[in-house]
Amino acid sequence: MTYLTASGSELTGASMWVCGALCWARTPAQLRRRLFPAFRRRRPAAAAFSASAEPSRVRALVYGHHGDPAKVVELKNLELAAVGRSDVHVKMLAAPVNPSDINMIQGNYGLLPKLPAVGGNEGVGQVVAVGSSVTGVKPGDWVIPANAGLGTWRTEAVFSEEALISVPSDIPLQSAATLGVNPCTAYRMLMDFERLRPGDSVIQNASNSGVGQAVIQIAAALGLRTINVVRDRPDIQKLTDRLKSLGAHHVVTEEELRKHEMKNFFKDVPQPQLALNCVGGKSSKELLRHLAPGGTMVTYGGMAKQPVIASVSLLIFKDLKLRGFWLSQWKKDHSPDQFKELILTLCDLIHRGQLAAPACSEVPLQDYQRALEASVQPFVSSKQILTM
């Protein structure tokens, strides 16, 4: 690029820079402030980048191709990108391992990032520095991803401001780290498919999952009764007691749900108008069997890796409805402000003591193999959270 001087002669970009530097050096300080006021204004903006000016190494869990997470995920060193005008430098604090993370690495999820990719769809980080155009967050703030696929399993990163949502830093770390997926899914399913009133019943399977525990607590805050179905296990009483401590009204096993005696159970308990299915197969069939006429079953997962089984007679004679829910699609259909409002609603429940994080086990990032292996084991009720 060339520039024209006042006399009409041409200067290249390099010679223009040299000329400007010489003029700057030869101009008295007082006159410089009068002639070049813009230079004074730009200096503070440059300081906003100082925290990330030097190249930095980042530790991250990366996968270059799809497959078994224990085999394809590697702990690598990455270079931290420079902070642009609209960027935010974030130090990650904690990030969970969710079923959707595992599915994404395996390559069988509805949203797949470009490879190689950093694992992790949610988590919480603290802002270190911001670009000159950033207005929504400041250093010290806590932030979570606005959408899936951000890659949270790393020690730090530079993200665009629009990719982040600010959350209160006075909520528990585990609550913040697990806020953006499971509680949001639970809240929307309870609110969007049936007009439920205090005293109404909701039935769900996989009740000890992250979503299941959030459903129990949010439903209790709304005055709803929950019937919670779990797989039988050696420590079933311990699990039952823990779910009831969260606000569960009833906890039954898959085997108990299939028994004839459940008819007597629903003489005293209102039949549920809403069923939440994360398993599929025979379990989903049993949920449908106990739904009230005109009720809705919402499927948001398929842990059994079997199709939803729906009785023709139930669909015809009870006029049941089958729906699906995916939080990523809900976000596409709603504005970013609506998602922020949802997050603030959940934070309010946390502040009021009505919503706690699921049972968690914190695992240092370097021990990621242990966290990945535990996440795919049956009957593990504790969510694995990577700490940085």
Side-chain angles (χ1 to χ4, degrees):
M1 183 179 291
T2 61
Y3 300 87
L4 289 178
T5 67
S7 62
S9 60
E10 288 188 352
L11 286 176
T12 64
S15 58
M16 182 71 174
W17 185 90
V18 172
C19 178
L22 289 172
C23 292
W24 175 265
R26 293 171 181 172
T27 306
Q30 187 175 9
L31 184 57
R32 283 203 304 263
R33 286 193 293 269
R34 290 170 54 194
L35 294 177
F36 306 104
F39 281 94
R40 285 192 299 156
R41 291 196 299 270
R42 289 175 187 153
R43 293 178 69 85
F49 296 88
S50 61
S52 300
E54 294 298 324
S56 176
R57 308 303 289 184
V58 176
R59 303 189 79 197
L61 296 179
V62 181
Y63 58 101
H65 57 277
H66 298 297
D68 180 356
K71 297 179 179 178
V72 302
V73 174
E74 299 178 274
L75 183 59
K76 292 188 174 183
N77 290 325
L78 304 180
E79 187 171 309
L80 186 68
V83 180
R85 291 173 58 85
S86 301
D87 292 337
V88 180
H89 177 192
V90 177
K91 180 187 183 301
M92 293 304 301
L93 301 175
V97 179
N98 288 321
S100 58
D101 301 322
I102 301 298
N103 293 338
M104 191 174 282
I105 296 169
Q106 293 169 335
N108 54 16
Y109 193 64
L111 171 67
L112 298 177
K114 183 180 178 181
L115 300 181
V118 176
N121 287 303
E122 74 168 333
V124 61
Q126 187 170 40
V127 175
V128 176
V130 301
S132 58
S133 298
V134 174
T135 59
V137 295
K138 62 184 184 303
D141 286 353
W142 279 14
V143 290
I144 64 172
N147 292 296
L150 197 61
T152 56
W153 295 351
R154 54 179 128 193
T155 53
E156 55 186 312
V158 173
F159 302 119
S160 65
E161 181 183 11
E162 64 182 13
L164 303 169
I165 294 178
S166 178
V167 298
S169 59
D170 62 349
I171 62 176
L173 180 67
Q174 291 183 354
S175 293
T178 58
L179 179 62
V181 177
N182 292 339
C184 294
T185 297
Y187 187 89
R188 291 267 56 100
M189 291 193 302
L190 287 171
M191 299 298 292
D192 294 350
F193 295 93
E194 290 286 343
R195 289 192 173 184
L196 301 175
R197 302 177 181 84
D200 286 349
S201 295
V202 176
I203 190 169
Q204 65 166 342
N205 54 25
S207 302
N208 59 316
S209 67
V211 172
Q213 293 178 58
V215 165
I216 291 171
Q217 296 176 82
I218 297 170
L222 297 172
L224 304 174
R225 183 192 301 263
T226 54
I227 304 161
N228 301 280
V229 185
V230 297
R231 288 179 293 176
D232 199 4
R233 63 197 68 203
D235 61 344
I236 185 63
Q237 189 58 51
K238 181 180 178 181
L239 175 60
T240 298
D241 293 342
R242 185 165 63 81
L243 295 183
K244 287 191 174 181
S245 72
L246 296 177
H249 289 80
H250 309 281
V251 179
V252 298
T253 65
E254 295 276 3
E255 292 76 12
E256 290 171 333
L257 192 66
R258 289 194 289 267
K259 290 182 178 180
H260 181 76
E261 287 79 7
M262 285 303 294
K263 286 189 176 180
N264 295 327
F265 174 84
F266 284 108
K267 290 180 180 179
D268 301 320
V269 177
Q271 273 193 299
Q273 197 70 27
L274 178 67
L276 306 178
N277 168 47
C278 185
V279 179
K282 294 180 180 179
S283 180
S284 59
K285 180 180 179 181
E286 290 301 317
L287 294 187
L288 282 171
R289 190 162 69 89
H290 295 293
L291 264 183
T296 300
M297 184 175 77
V298 182
T299 294
Y300 67 98
M303 292 171 57
K305 297 183 180 179
Q306 296 174 359
V308 169
I309 301 174
S311 164
V312 172
S313 62
L314 289 178
L315 292 177
I316 294 174
F317 301 122
K318 292 179 69 175
D319 189 26
L320 302 181
K321 300 181 284 294
L322 302 180
R323 299 289 304 274
F325 181 82
W326 184 31
L327 183 63
S328 293
Q329 186 61 50
W330 184 91
K331 290 180 185 178
K332 292 178 183 178
D333 296 338
H334 297 78
S335 69
D337 285 341
Q338 288 174 299
F339 183 56
K340 291 178 183 178
E341 182 180 352
L342 171 58
I343 292 295
L344 292 177
T345 297
L346 295 171
C347 287
D348 185 50
L349 290 175
I350 294 171
H351 282 136
R352 297 198 323 238
Q354 296 176 310
L355 178 62
C360 296
S361 297
E362 295 188 3
V363 181
L365 183 66
Q366 62 267 24
D367 296 334
Y368 70 96
Q369 287 283 7
R370 176 157 56 94
L372 293 177
E373 290 170 4
S375 296
V376 296
Q377 293 299 315
F379 304 122
V380 175
S381 300
S382 183
K383 183 176 289 294
Q384 305 298 299
I385 293 190
L386 298 169
T387 56
M388 316 306 172

Short mmCIF file of all heavy atoms in Angstrom, two decimals, residues 196-252:
data_model
loop_
_atom_site.label_atom_id
_atom_site.label_comp_id
_atom_site.label_asym_id
_atom_site.label_seq_id
_atom_site.Cartn_x
_atom_site.Cartn_y
_atom_site.Cartn_z
N LEU A 196 -48.11 -27.64 33.42
CA LEU A 196 -48.14 -28.32 34.71
C LEU A 196 -48.45 -27.33 35.82
O LEU A 196 -47.99 -26.20 35.81
CB LEU A 196 -46.80 -29.01 34.98
CG LEU A 196 -46.38 -30.05 33.93
CD1 LEU A 196 -44.98 -30.56 34.22
CD2 LEU A 196 -47.38 -31.21 33.89
N ARG A 197 -49.22 -27.80 36.79
CA ARG A 197 -49.59 -26.98 37.95
C ARG A 197 -49.05 -27.63 39.22
O ARG A 197 -48.80 -28.85 39.24
CB ARG A 197 -51.11 -26.84 38.05
CG ARG A 197 -51.76 -26.22 36.81
CD ARG A 197 -53.27 -26.18 36.96
NE ARG A 197 -53.94 -25.62 35.79
CZ ARG A 197 -54.24 -26.33 34.70
NH1 ARG A 197 -53.94 -27.63 34.65
NH2 ARG A 197 -54.85 -25.77 33.67
N PRO A 198 -48.86 -26.86 40.28
CA PRO A 198 -48.41 -27.45 41.54
C PRO A 198 -49.29 -28.63 41.94
O PRO A 198 -50.52 -28.55 41.87
CB PRO A 198 -48.54 -26.29 42.53
CG PRO A 198 -48.34 -25.06 41.69
CD PRO A 198 -49.00 -25.38 40.37
N GLY A 199 -48.64 -29.72 42.30
CA GLY A 199 -49.37 -30.95 42.64
C GLY A 199 -49.40 -31.96 41.53
O GLY A 199 -49.68 -33.15 41.77
N ASP A 200 -49.16 -31.54 40.28
CA ASP A 200 -49.13 -32.47 39.16
C ASP A 200 -47.90 -33.37 39.25
O ASP A 200 -46.90 -33.04 39.91
CB ASP A 200 -49.09 -31.72 37.82
CG ASP A 200 -50.44 -31.10 37.47
OD1 ASP A 200 -51.43 -31.42 38.14
OD2 ASP A 200 -50.49 -30.28 36.52
N SER A 201 -47.97 -34.52 38.56
CA SER A 201 -46.88 -35.50 38.59
C SER A 201 -46.09 -35.50 37.29
O SER A 201 -46.63 -35.27 36.21
CB SER A 201 -47.44 -36.90 38.84
OG SER A 201 -48.03 -37.00 40.11
N VAL A 202 -44.80 -35.80 37.43
CA VAL A 202 -43.88 -36.00 36.31
C VAL A 202 -43.16 -37.31 36.56
O VAL A 202 -42.70 -37.57 37.68
CB VAL A 202 -42.85 -34.86 36.19
CG1 VAL A 202 -41.85 -35.14 35.07
CG2 VAL A 202 -43.54 -33.53 35.97
N ILE A 203 -43.05 -38.15 35.54
CA ILE A 203 -42.31 -39.41 35.66
C ILE A 203 -41.10 -39.35 34.75
O ILE A 203 -41.16 -38.80 33.65
CB ILE A 203 -43.21 -40.63 35.32
CG1 ILE A 203 -42.50 -41.94 35.68
CG2 ILE A 203 -43.66 -40.63 33.87
CD1 ILE A 203 -43.42 -43.16 35.62
N GLN A 204 -39.97 -39.87 35.22
CA GLN A 204 -38.75 -39.86 34.42
C GLN A 204 -37.91 -41.10 34.70
O GLN A 204 -37.93 -41.65 35.80
CB GLN A 204 -37.91 -38.61 34.71
CG GLN A 204 -37.36 -38.53 36.12
CD GLN A 204 -36.28 -37.48 36.30
OE1 GLN A 204 -35.68 -37.02 35.33
NE2 GLN A 204 -36.00 -37.09 37.53
N ASN A 205 -37.17 -41.55 33.67
CA ASN A 205 -36.17 -42.59 33.89
C ASN A 205 -34.79 -41.93 33.94
O ASN A 205 -34.67 -40.71 33.78
CB ASN A 205 -36.25 -43.69 32.82
CG ASN A 205 -36.18 -43.16 31.39
OD1 ASN A 205 -35.62 -42.09 31.14
ND2 ASN A 205 -36.74 -43.91 30.45
N ALA A 206 -33.75 -42.74 34.16
CA ALA A 206 -32.39 -42.20 34.34
C ALA A 206 -32.39 -41.07 35.37
O ALA A 206 -31.74 -40.04 35.19
CB ALA A 206 -31.82 -41.72 33.01
N SER A 207 -33.11 -41.28 36.44
CA SER A 207 -33.35 -40.21 37.41
C SER A 207 -32.11 -39.79 38.18
O SER A 207 -32.08 -38.72 38.78
CB SER A 207 -34.44 -40.62 38.39
OG SER A 207 -35.63 -40.94 37.70
N ASN A 208 -31.08 -40.64 38.18
CA ASN A 208 -29.84 -40.29 38.88
C ASN A 208 -28.83 -39.62 37.96
O ASN A 208 -27.71 -39.32 38.37
CB ASN A 208 -29.21 -41.53 39.51
CG ASN A 208 -28.89 -42.60 38.49
OD1 ASN A 208 -29.71 -42.88 37.62
ND2 ASN A 208 -27.72 -43.21 38.57
N SER A 209 -29.20 -39.38 36.71
CA SER A 209 -28.33 -38.67 35.77
C SER A 209 -28.27 -37.19 36.13
O SER A 209 -29.02 -36.72 37.01
CB SER A 209 -28.84 -38.83 34.34
OG SER A 209 -30.09 -38.15 34.19
N GLY A 210 -27.40 -36.45 35.45
CA GLY A 210 -27.31 -35.01 35.71
C GLY A 210 -28.63 -34.31 35.43
O GLY A 210 -29.08 -33.46 36.23
N VAL A 211 -29.26 -34.64 34.31
CA VAL A 211 -30.57 -34.05 34.00
C VAL A 211 -31.60 -34.51 35.01
O VAL A 211 -32.41 -33.71 35.51
CB VAL A 211 -31.01 -34.41 32.57
CG1 VAL A 211 -32.45 -33.97 32.32
CG2 VAL A 211 -30.10 -33.78 31.53
N GLY A 212 -31.58 -35.80 35.35
CA GLY A 212 -32.56 -36.34 36.29
C GLY A 212 -32.51 -35.65 37.64
O GLY A 212 -33.55 -35.31 38.22
N GLN A 213 -31.30 -35.42 38.15
CA GLN A 213 -31.17 -34.74 39.44
C GLN A 213 -31.65 -33.29 39.35
O GLN A 213 -32.24 -32.77 40.30
CB GLN A 213 -29.71 -34.79 39.91
CG GLN A 213 -29.24 -36.19 40.25
CD GLN A 213 -27.78 -36.23 40.66
OE1 GLN A 213 -27.37 -35.56 41.61
NE2 GLN A 213 -26.98 -36.99 39.94
N ALA A 214 -31.42 -32.65 38.20
CA ALA A 214 -31.91 -31.28 38.02
C ALA A 214 -33.43 -31.25 37.92
O ALA A 214 -34.08 -30.35 38.47
CB ALA A 214 -31.27 -30.66 36.77
N VAL A 215 -34.01 -32.24 37.24
CA VAL A 215 -35.47 -32.32 37.13
C VAL A 215 -36.09 -32.42 38.52
O VAL A 215 -37.08 -31.74 38.83
CB VAL A 215 -35.88 -33.53 36.25
CG1 VAL A 215 -37.37 -33.85 36.44
CG2 VAL A 215 -35.60 -33.25 34.79
N ILE A 216 -35.53 -33.28 39.36
CA ILE A 216 -36.07 -33.47 40.72
C ILE A 216 -36.10 -32.14 41.46
O ILE A 216 -37.11 -31.77 42.08
CB ILE A 216 -35.21 -34.49 41.49
CG1 ILE A 216 -35.41 -35.90 40.90
CG2 ILE A 216 -35.57 -34.49 42.97
CD1 ILE A 216 -34.45 -36.94 41.45
N GLN A 217 -35.00 -31.41 41.41
CA GLN A 217 -34.89 -30.17 42.19
C GLN A 217 -35.75 -29.05 41.62
O GLN A 217 -36.42 -28.33 42.37
CB GLN A 217 -33.43 -29.73 42.25
CG GLN A 217 -32.53 -30.72 42.97
CD GLN A 217 -31.07 -30.31 42.93
OE1 GLN A 217 -30.63 -29.48 43.72
NE2 GLN A 217 -30.33 -30.87 41.98
N ILE A 218 -35.73 -28.88 40.31
CA ILE A 218 -36.52 -27.81 39.69
C ILE A 218 -38.02 -28.10 39.85
O ILE A 218 -38.81 -27.20 40.13
CB ILE A 218 -36.14 -27.63 38.22
CG1 ILE A 218 -34.68 -27.19 38.11
CG2 ILE A 218 -37.05 -26.61 37.54
CD1 ILE A 218 -34.13 -27.20 36.69
N ALA A 219 -38.40 -29.37 39.68
CA ALA A 219 -39.80 -29.75 39.87
C ALA A 219 -40.25 -29.46 41.30
O ALA A 219 -41.35 -28.95 41.52
CB ALA A 219 -39.99 -31.23 39.54
N ALA A 220 -39.40 -29.78 42.27
CA ALA A 220 -39.74 -29.50 43.66
C ALA A 220 -39.93 -28.00 43.88
O ALA A 220 -40.85 -27.58 44.60
CB ALA A 220 -38.66 -30.05 44.58
N ALA A 221 -39.08 -27.19 43.26
CA ALA A 221 -39.20 -25.73 43.39
C ALA A 221 -40.50 -25.23 42.77
O ALA A 221 -41.05 -24.21 43.21
CB ALA A 221 -38.00 -25.05 42.73
N LEU A 222 -40.99 -25.95 41.75
CA LEU A 222 -42.24 -25.57 41.08
C LEU A 222 -43.47 -26.19 41.74
O LEU A 222 -44.60 -25.96 41.28
CB LEU A 222 -42.19 -25.99 39.61
CG LEU A 222 -41.11 -25.32 38.74
CD1 LEU A 222 -41.05 -25.97 37.36
CD2 LEU A 222 -41.39 -23.82 38.61
N GLY A 223 -43.26 -27.00 42.78
CA GLY A 223 -44.38 -27.65 43.45
C GLY A 223 -44.89 -28.88 42.75
O GLY A 223 -46.03 -29.32 42.99
N LEU A 224 -44.07 -29.50 41.90
CA LEU A 224 -44.46 -30.70 41.15
C LEU A 224 -43.99 -31.95 41.87
O LEU A 224 -42.95 -31.96 42.53
CB LEU A 224 -43.88 -30.66 39.74
CG LEU A 224 -44.22 -29.43 38.89
CD1 LEU A 224 -43.44 -29.46 37.57
CD2 LEU A 224 -45.72 -29.35 38.64
N ARG A 225 -44.74 -33.02 41.69
CA ARG A 225 -44.40 -34.31 42.28
C ARG A 225 -43.63 -35.13 41.23
O ARG A 225 -44.06 -35.21 40.07
CB ARG A 225 -45.68 -35.04 42.68
CG ARG A 225 -45.47 -36.39 43.38
CD ARG A 225 -46.80 -37.13 43.45
NE ARG A 225 -47.80 -36.37 44.18
CZ ARG A 225 -48.08 -36.56 45.47
NH1 ARG A 225 -47.45 -37.48 46.16
NH2 ARG A 225 -49.03 -35.85 46.06
N THR A 226 -42.51 -35.75 41.62
CA THR A 226 -41.73 -36.55 40.66
C THR A 226 -41.75 -38.02 41.03
O THR A 226 -41.63 -38.40 42.20
CB THR A 226 -40.27 -36.07 40.59
OG1 THR A 226 -39.69 -36.06 41.89
CG2 THR A 226 -40.18 -34.69 39.97
N ILE A 227 -41.92 -38.85 40.00
CA ILE A 227 -41.80 -40.31 40.11
C ILE A 227 -40.53 -40.68 39.37
O ILE A 227 -40.44 -40.52 38.14
CB ILE A 227 -43.03 -41.01 39.49
CG1 ILE A 227 -44.31 -40.49 40.14
CG2 ILE A 227 -42.92 -42.52 39.61
CD1 ILE A 227 -45.56 -40.74 39.32
N ASN A 228 -39.56 -41.17 40.08
CA ASN A 228 -38.21 -41.31 39.54
C ASN A 228 -37.83 -42.77 39.39
O ASN A 228 -37.78 -43.52 40.37
CB ASN A 228 -37.22 -40.60 40.47
CG ASN A 228 -37.56 -39.13 40.62
OD1 ASN A 228 -37.25 -38.32 39.77
ND2 ASN A 228 -38.25 -38.78 41.71
N VAL A 229 -37.56 -43.15 38.16
CA VAL A 229 -37.24 -44.54 37.82
C VAL A 229 -35.73 -44.69 37.68
O VAL A 229 -35.08 -43.89 36.99
CB VAL A 229 -37.94 -44.96 36.52
CG1 VAL A 229 -37.70 -46.45 36.24
CG2 VAL A 229 -39.44 -44.67 36.58
N VAL A 230 -35.17 -45.71 38.34
CA VAL A 230 -33.73 -46.00 38.26
C VAL A 230 -33.53 -47.49 38.05
O VAL A 230 -34.43 -48.30 38.30
CB VAL A 230 -33.00 -45.56 39.56
CG1 VAL A 230 -33.10 -44.05 39.74
CG2 VAL A 230 -33.56 -46.28 40.77
N ARG A 231 -32.35 -47.86 37.59
CA ARG A 231 -32.01 -49.28 37.48
C ARG A 231 -31.68 -49.83 38.87
O ARG A 231 -31.07 -49.14 39.69
CB ARG A 231 -30.80 -49.46 36.56
CG ARG A 231 -31.10 -49.22 35.09
CD ARG A 231 -29.86 -49.41 34.24
NE ARG A 231 -28.86 -48.38 34.51
CZ ARG A 231 -27.65 -48.36 33.95
NH1 ARG A 231 -27.29 -49.30 33.10
NH2 ARG A 231 -26.80 -47.40 34.25
N ASP A 232 -32.09 -51.07 39.10
CA ASP A 232 -31.77 -51.71 40.38
C ASP A 232 -30.27 -51.91 40.48
O ASP A 232 -29.57 -52.08 39.48
CB ASP A 232 -32.49 -53.06 40.48
CG ASP A 232 -32.59 -53.55 41.92
OD1 ASP A 232 -32.17 -52.79 42.83
OD2 ASP A 232 -33.07 -54.68 42.13
N ARG A 233 -29.75 -51.86 41.71
CA ARG A 233 -28.31 -51.96 41.96
C ARG A 233 -28.10 -52.34 43.42
O ARG A 233 -29.01 -52.24 44.25
CB ARG A 233 -27.62 -50.63 41.67
CG ARG A 233 -28.09 -49.49 42.57
CD ARG A 233 -27.72 -48.15 41.99
NE ARG A 233 -28.48 -47.87 40.78
CZ ARG A 233 -28.08 -47.02 39.82
NH1 ARG A 233 -26.93 -46.38 39.95
NH2 ARG A 233 -28.82 -46.83 38.76
N PRO A 234 -26.88 -52.77 43.77
CA PRO A 234 -26.62 -53.19 45.15
C PRO A 234 -26.88 -52.08 46.18
O PRO A 234 -27.33 -52.37 47.29
CB PRO A 234 -25.14 -53.59 45.12
CG PRO A 234 -24.88 -53.96 43.70
CD PRO A 234 -25.74 -53.06 42.88
N ASP A 235 -26.59 -50.84 45.83
CA ASP A 235 -26.75 -49.75 46.80
C ASP A 235 -28.01 -48.94 46.51
O ASP A 235 -28.02 -47.72 46.64
CB ASP A 235 -25.53 -48.84 46.78
CG ASP A 235 -25.31 -48.18 45.42
OD1 ASP A 235 -25.91 -48.66 44.43
OD2 ASP A 235 -24.56 -47.20 45.33
N ILE A 236 -29.09 -49.62 46.14
CA ILE A 236 -30.31 -48.93 45.72
C ILE A 236 -30.88 -48.05 46.83
O ILE A 236 -31.39 -46.95 46.56
CB ILE A 236 -31.38 -49.95 45.24
CG1 ILE A 236 -32.62 -49.21 44.70
CG2 ILE A 236 -31.74 -50.91 46.35
CD1 ILE A 236 -32.35 -48.38 43.48
N GLN A 237 -30.77 -48.49 48.10
CA GLN A 237 -31.32 -47.68 49.19
C GLN A 237 -30.54 -46.39 49.36
O GLN A 237 -31.11 -45.33 49.62
CB GLN A 237 -31.32 -48.47 50.50
CG GLN A 237 -32.07 -47.78 51.63
CD GLN A 237 -33.51 -47.49 51.29
OE1 GLN A 237 -34.26 -48.38 50.85
NE2 GLN A 237 -33.94 -46.23 51.45
N LYS A 238 -29.22 -46.47 49.20
CA LYS A 238 -28.39 -45.27 49.29
C LYS A 238 -28.75 -44.28 48.21
O LYS A 238 -28.87 -43.07 48.46
CB LYS A 238 -26.91 -45.67 49.19
CG LYS A 238 -25.95 -44.50 49.29
CD LYS A 238 -24.50 -44.98 49.18
CE LYS A 238 -23.52 -43.82 49.23
NZ LYS A 238 -22.11 -44.29 49.10
N LEU A 239 -28.97 -44.79 46.99
CA LEU A 239 -29.36 -43.91 45.88
C LEU A 239 -30.74 -43.31 46.13
O LEU A 239 -30.96 -42.12 45.90
CB LEU A 239 -29.35 -44.69 44.56
CG LEU A 239 -29.85 -43.94 43.33
CD1 LEU A 239 -29.01 -42.70 43.06
CD2 LEU A 239 -29.88 -44.85 42.11
N THR A 240 -31.66 -44.14 46.60
CA THR A 240 -33.01 -43.66 46.89
C THR A 240 -32.98 -42.53 47.92
O THR A 240 -33.65 -41.50 47.75
CB THR A 240 -33.88 -44.81 47.41
OG1 THR A 240 -33.99 -45.82 46.40
CG2 THR A 240 -35.27 -44.32 47.79
N ASP A 241 -32.22 -42.72 48.98
CA ASP A 241 -32.13 -41.69 50.02
C ASP A 241 -31.55 -40.39 49.46
O ASP A 241 -32.01 -39.29 49.82
CB ASP A 241 -31.27 -42.19 51.18
CG ASP A 241 -31.92 -43.34 51.94
OD1 ASP A 241 -33.14 -43.52 51.79
OD2 ASP A 241 -31.19 -44.05 52.66
N ARG A 242 -30.54 -40.52 48.58
CA ARG A 242 -29.92 -39.30 48.04
C ARG A 242 -30.89 -38.55 47.14
O ARG A 242 -30.98 -37.31 47.19
CB ARG A 242 -28.64 -39.65 47.27
CG ARG A 242 -27.89 -38.41 46.78
CD ARG A 242 -26.48 -38.76 46.37
NE ARG A 242 -26.44 -39.68 45.26
CZ ARG A 242 -26.59 -39.32 43.99
NH1 ARG A 242 -26.81 -38.05 43.68
NH2 ARG A 242 -26.53 -40.21 43.02
N LEU A 243 -31.62 -39.27 46.29
CA LEU A 243 -32.57 -38.60 45.39
C LEU A 243 -33.71 -37.96 46.19
O LEU A 243 -34.17 -36.87 45.85
CB LEU A 243 -33.13 -39.60 44.37
CG LEU A 243 -32.12 -40.18 43.37
CD1 LEU A 243 -32.82 -41.09 42.36
CD2 LEU A 243 -31.36 -39.07 42.64
N LYS A 244 -34.14 -38.62 47.25
CA LYS A 244 -35.19 -38.03 48.08
C LYS A 244 -34.69 -36.80 48.82
O LYS A 244 -35.45 -35.86 49.08
CB LYS A 244 -35.74 -39.07 49.05
CG LYS A 244 -36.63 -40.11 48.36
CD LYS A 244 -37.37 -40.98 49.36
CE LYS A 244 -38.35 -41.91 48.63
NZ LYS A 244 -39.12 -42.76 49.57
N SER A 245 -33.40 -36.78 49.15
CA SER A 245 -32.84 -35.59 49.80
C SER A 245 -32.82 -34.40 48.85
O SER A 245 -32.80 -33.24 49.29
CB SER A 245 -31.41 -35.88 50.29
OG SER A 245 -30.49 -35.96 49.20
N LEU A 246 -32.86 -34.67 47.53
CA LEU A 246 -32.93 -33.60 46.54
C LEU A 246 -34.35 -33.10 46.32
O LEU A 246 -34.56 -32.05 45.71
CB LEU A 246 -32.36 -34.07 45.20
CG LEU A 246 -30.87 -34.44 45.16
CD1 LEU A 246 -30.50 -34.97 43.77
CD2 LEU A 246 -30.00 -33.24 45.51
N GLY A 247 -35.34 -33.88 46.80
CA GLY A 247 -36.73 -33.49 46.62
C GLY A 247 -37.58 -34.50 45.89
O GLY A 247 -38.76 -34.23 45.59
N ALA A 248 -37.01 -35.69 45.59
CA ALA A 248 -37.80 -36.73 44.90
C ALA A 248 -38.92 -37.22 45.81
O ALA A 248 -38.69 -37.50 46.99
CB ALA A 248 -36.89 -37.89 44.51
N HIS A 249 -40.11 -37.33 45.25
CA HIS A 249 -41.24 -37.85 46.04
C HIS A 249 -41.26 -39.37 46.04
O HIS A 249 -41.55 -39.99 47.06
CB HIS A 249 -42.56 -37.31 45.47
CG HIS A 249 -42.79 -35.86 45.71
ND1 HIS A 249 -42.20 -34.89 44.94
CD2 HIS A 249 -43.52 -35.21 46.66
CE1 HIS A 249 -42.57 -33.69 45.37
NE2 HIS A 249 -43.37 -33.86 46.42
N HIS A 250 -40.98 -39.97 44.88
CA HIS A 250 -41.04 -41.42 44.76
C HIS A 250 -39.85 -41.89 43.93
O HIS A 250 -39.50 -41.27 42.92
CB HIS A 250 -42.34 -41.87 44.08
CG HIS A 250 -43.57 -41.28 44.70
ND1 HIS A 250 -44.12 -41.75 45.87
CD2 HIS A 250 -44.35 -40.24 44.31
CE1 HIS A 250 -45.19 -41.03 46.18
NE2 HIS A 250 -45.34 -40.10 45.24
N VAL A 251 -39.24 -42.99 44.35
CA VAL A 251 -38.15 -43.62 43.60
C VAL A 251 -38.49 -45.09 43.43
O VAL A 251 -38.73 -45.80 44.41
CB VAL A 251 -36.79 -43.48 44.33
CG1 VAL A 251 -35.68 -44.16 43.53
CG2 VAL A 251 -36.46 -42.01 44.57
N VAL A 252 -38.56 -45.55 42.18
CA VAL A 252 -38.89 -46.95 41.89
C VAL A 252 -37.86 -47.49 40.90
O VAL A 252 -37.26 -46.74 40.13
CB VAL A 252 -40.31 -47.11 41.31
CG1 VAL A 252 -41.35 -46.63 42.31
CG2 VAL A 252 -40.46 -46.34 40.00
#
